[in-house]
Amino acid sequence: MPDRSASPTLDLQLTWRGAFGRVRVFADRVHAETSYERDALQPVPMDALRGWRIQPCDFDAVCVEFLTPDDTWRVLLDTSDEQVAALALRRVLGQPVPADS
């Protein structure tokens, strides 16, 4: 069982055009929440995760996309956080899925 009291190794968040997103990376898990394309702030169902990737959303934001069987959860991050987020997520979740075409 993961130690839920452990501090994250990376904690990124962004409020962008009224939407909030946060990705917290721990040594053994990832916690993410988003209000982007949602009615309210919601946690990403990481237990249903099938893959992840990072793609541009706009000139000033990137989307970390968490793919579940029923939905794509987009968490917005600043473009300057893209590389560090990718490294941290890859370490915990494995390789990203190919970019959406």
Side-chain angles (χ1 to χ4, degrees), residues 9-14 21-26 29-32 46 49 52-55 61-66 75-96:
T9 57
L10 182 67
D11 189 348
L12 300 172
Q13 59 186 335
L14 178 67
R22 184 175 192 181
V23 175
R24 299 177 80 199
V25 181
F26 297 83
R29 70 190 185 285
V30 174
H31 175 80
M46 299 305 285
L49 191 68
W52 70 277
R53 62 182 167 228
I54 298 178
Q55 300 198 117
V62 294
C63 287
V64 179
E65 295 184 340
F66 294 101
V75 179
L76 298 169
L77 294 178
D78 191 278
T79 55
S80 65
D81 293 330
E82 181 177 4
Q83 289 186 3
V84 70
L87 288 171
L89 290 169
R90 188 176 290 117
R91 191 173 306 136
V92 177
L93 300 177
Q95 292 296 318

Side-chain angles (χ1 to χ4, degrees), residues 16-69:
W16 184 83
R17 299 182 187 172
F20 178 79
R22 184 175 192 181
V23 175
R24 299 177 80 199
V25 181
F26 297 83
D28 59 348
R29 70 190 185 285
V30 174
H31 175 80
E33 54 190 346
T34 186
S35 65
Y36 184 63
E37 301 175 328
R38 308 282 164 185
D39 292 334
L41 185 64
Q42 296 180 10
V44 175
M46 299 305 285
D47 55 335
L49 191 68
R50 299 281 190 234
W52 70 277
R53 62 182 167 228
I54 298 178
Q55 300 198 117
C57 284
D58 207 324
F59 71 93
D60 60 349
V62 294
C63 287
V64 179
E65 295 184 340
F66 294 101
L67 311 171
T68 65

